Structures are given as structure tokens and as C-alpha cells.
Amino acid sequence: MPRSPLRNRVRRSRRQVDADSSRSGFDAFAHCESLVRDGDPDRYFATLFADATARPHLFALYAFTLEIARVRDAVSQALAGEIRLQWWRDALAPEAATGALSGDVRANPVAAALLDTIARFNLPLQPLLDLIDARLNDLYDDPFADLNQLEGYCGETFSAPLRLAGLILTDGADAGDADAAGHAGVALGMTALMRAFPVHARRGQLMLPPLDVLGEQGLTRGDIVAGRADSRKLAAAMARMRDQIRRHRDAAQTALSACDPRIGPLYLPLALIPLYLDRMERGDYAPYETRVEVPRWRRLWHLWRQARKGWR
């Protein structure tokens, strides 16, 4: 188990924090790193394989995506969630992104770090605004009508950040990763939704399978959220989703072979998808009850091994 290399990377990352501690706003970047480490450990450890100077900016971007993803969990009413998302839209307005606003917006450490990252790498704002708009769907319980809608949602919430992260690692150059990010984002996003299925179902929310996949098995949204879905039919629908995830993951891996190698660390979490999908195919898997987890040592081992292997 290659614990030492990853531990060394953690130590080097912390030394980088210490070395840059005098930089304006660095506390905001350190806050973002802490958020990602606690809230998205797979992506945190994968990011340790990226260029050290780019990591704070990657963590700023990822912390933003976490903050937006958590809005539904932080509010009791959809209207309150819409207000929070509108705050982020306003925070990304051109006058904020260019530094013309420095009051309440920059008092938020995630916003401050993100705005500095946008300015440093001249990141386009529209993908971030589209991500916020896509997360409006999380505030309500309307299911996706079909696979196309679900994949579009994953594209805006997972693929778009991959593309922006690629610009950070290549200092604004095109990494040729449009196809890779598109497929990888769908695979990663759908895997995350599969893992969160019991959480969503308990609160009456159906993120997947979409209605067309449920319909193939004679199931409805009501069957899912009421917990009365036939187990064999639900298993078949979930198997269909896993097949779709594997297709997108394979396509992403193929596309990565033609991409700028500097963006490789962004795609290391693809190596973890088989671990989660295999866990869902065990005989004791119960979609309503099982929050799919994999021991951290196994995840770290697969990330390290993939980093050594590369995608080419």
C-alpha cells in the first residue's frame, strides 16, 4: 500500500501553504483546500498529483462546486436555496470578478479565492453561471425525463469544472480535452448520484434513474420515493445506469490519450469508478439502504497506481 508517496505529497502541499502564507488572500485558498479535503476526499487526493503552484486554484474551483452542491442540504425551503444561488450569481458578476467589488463578496473565503483564480487564469464566467443554474434542479423534486437530460445536468455540474480546471493546469491553453471532460463528467456525476441514491430517496427526491429508464421496467417516480419499487425491477434500472457510466468512463479514457498530459491528475478519480460500481453489484447491495463506500486505503492505492500508469 503506497501510503508514503501520498503522505509526502500532503506534506509538500502544506509546506507550499506555509511558503505562500504571506500572499494576499492565501487564507482563503487554505480554507478552500480544507473544504475539499473534508467534503470531496477523492478529488482532494487526486489534486495532490497536480502541479503544486496550481493546487490552490484548483481547490478554489472545487470548493465553489462543493458550496453550490450543498445548497439543498443547507436550506429547508427551495426559496432560501434560490436566494443562496442568486448570491453566487451576483458574486460572479463582471464587476465582482474584476475586483471592482471587495466588500461582502470577498468576505466569503471561497468567493475570494475563486475570484482571484478567475482573474489569474482569465476563466470564462458562463460555465460557472450555468453550473449554478443547473443546481436549481437540486432544490426541487422533479426527476429528469430521460438520459439526455441527466447527462446534460452532469455535463454542467461535473464536466464544466473539469474543463476549467484544465485551463488552470495549462495556464489557459487548450488541452484538447472537450470530449474527455464531457464523458468523464457524466461518468463521475452519475456515479456520485448513484452513491447518493438512498439520501435522495429518503427526502422524496429522484435524481436517477431518469423516467425513461424507470419506464422500461414499469416503474414510476412514486414507486421510488415511496420505497415500494419492485427490487428486481429497480435492480435492472440501476444496472442500466451502471452500464451507461462504464460507457462514458471508457470513452473518457480513450479521449484522454490525445490530451495535454498536464491535465492527467484531474481525471484520476475515473480510476475509482469501478470500485464503486463493483460494490453496487455485490449481493448485499440494497439501493435504499446502502451508502456505497470503499475503504480509503483502496482508493488511495488506485489513485497512486493510475498516476504512475498514466492514460497514454
Side-chain angles (χ1 to χ4, degrees):
M1 164 56 200
R3 295 181 180 180
S4 295
L6 277 174
R7 285 177 177 171
N8 289 338
R9 287 177 182 273
V10 172
R11 293 191 187 102
R12 287 197 296 270
S13 181
R14 289 172 179 168
R15 285 199 297 268
Q16 182 72 27
V17 170
D18 294 338
D20 293 342
S21 60
S22 62
R23 188 173 62 195
S24 175
F26 189 80
D27 283 349
F29 286 98
H31 175 78
C32 291
E33 179 175 351
S34 178
L35 284 179
V36 178
R37 182 176 61 247
D38 295 338
D40 192 350
D42 289 351
R43 192 144 56 172
Y44 169 77
F45 285 110
T47 303
L48 296 181
F49 290 94
D51 180 77
T53 60
R55 287 177 207 155
H57 299 287
L58 293 175
F59 287 134
L61 175 63
Y62 296 155
F64 163 74
T65 65
L66 271 177
E67 290 286 279
I68 301 303
R70 289 172 169 175
V71 167
R72 166 76 187 242
D73 296 326
V75 301
S76 58
Q77 296 181 344
L79 179 59
E82 290 202 29
I83 291 172
R84 290 197 179 206
L85 292 179
Q86 184 59 51
W87 186 92
W88 279 103
R89 287 192 199 91
D90 295 340
L92 292 176
E95 57 269 26
T98 57
L101 297 179
S102 59
D104 291 343
V105 171
R106 288 187 173 271
N108 181 306
V110 176
L114 179 64
L115 291 175
D116 287 346
T117 295
I118 290 170
R120 164 67 177 81
F121 296 96
N122 195 28
L123 299 181
L125 294 179
Q126 195 58 50
L128 299 173
L129 296 173
D130 290 343
L131 184 154
I132 294 171
D133 289 343
R135 287 293 184 182
L136 274 172
N137 184 84
D138 298 3
L139 303 179
Y140 300 93
D141 298 331
D142 298 329
F144 295 109
D146 52 39
L147 274 172
N148 285 336
Q149 282 190 4
L150 173 60
E151 290 173 348
Y153 168 86
C154 291
E156 291 177 329
T157 55
F158 283 83
S159 299
L162 281 173
R163 287 278 279 164
L164 294 173
L167 293 175
I168 292 172
L169 287 182
T170 61
D171 203 19
D174 184 0
D177 60 336
D179 286 344
H183 289 294
V186 173
L188 292 167
M190 289 175 62
T191 300
L193 294 177
M194 291 275 283
R195 295 179 63 206
F197 179 86
V199 176
H200 294 152
R202 280 195 294 270
R203 67 187 183 195
Q205 188 179 27
L206 175 64
M207 298 296 287
L208 80 144
L211 294 181
D212 62 340
V213 174
L214 288 179
E216 293 170 358
Q217 301 299 325
L219 296 173
T220 67
R221 173 191 175 277
D223 295 329
I224 301 298
V225 299
R228 62 171 182 262
D230 180 279
S231 60
R232 289 174 297 179
K233 292 180 178 180
L234 178 57
M238 298 298 260
R240 168 79 185 282
M241 301 308 300
R242 290 193 294 272
D243 289 343
Q244 194 75 1
I245 290 170
R246 288 188 172 102
R247 282 195 288 271
H248 281 290
R249 178 182 179 273
D250 291 345
Q253 289 181 285
T254 299
L256 277 169
S257 63
C259 296
D260 189 318
R262 288 177 291 178
I263 67 170
L266 306 179
Y267 293 87
L268 290 178
L270 287 174
L272 305 181
I273 288 179
L275 301 181
Y276 294 124
L277 298 188
D278 290 349
R279 176 64 185 85
M280 295 176 196
E281 291 173 343
R282 282 172 36 175
D284 61 346
Y285 172 59
Y288 283 111
E289 302 170 8
T290 305
R291 177 66 166 91
V292 176
E293 298 291 354
V294 173
R296 190 171 82 165
W297 70 265
R298 289 194 65 200
R299 289 181 281 134
L300 296 182
W301 165 254
H302 279 262
L303 288 174
W304 178 83
R305 187 174 65 175
Q306 188 64 62
R308 289 285 299 263
K309 176 183 176 183
W311 299 106
R312 295 177 183 274

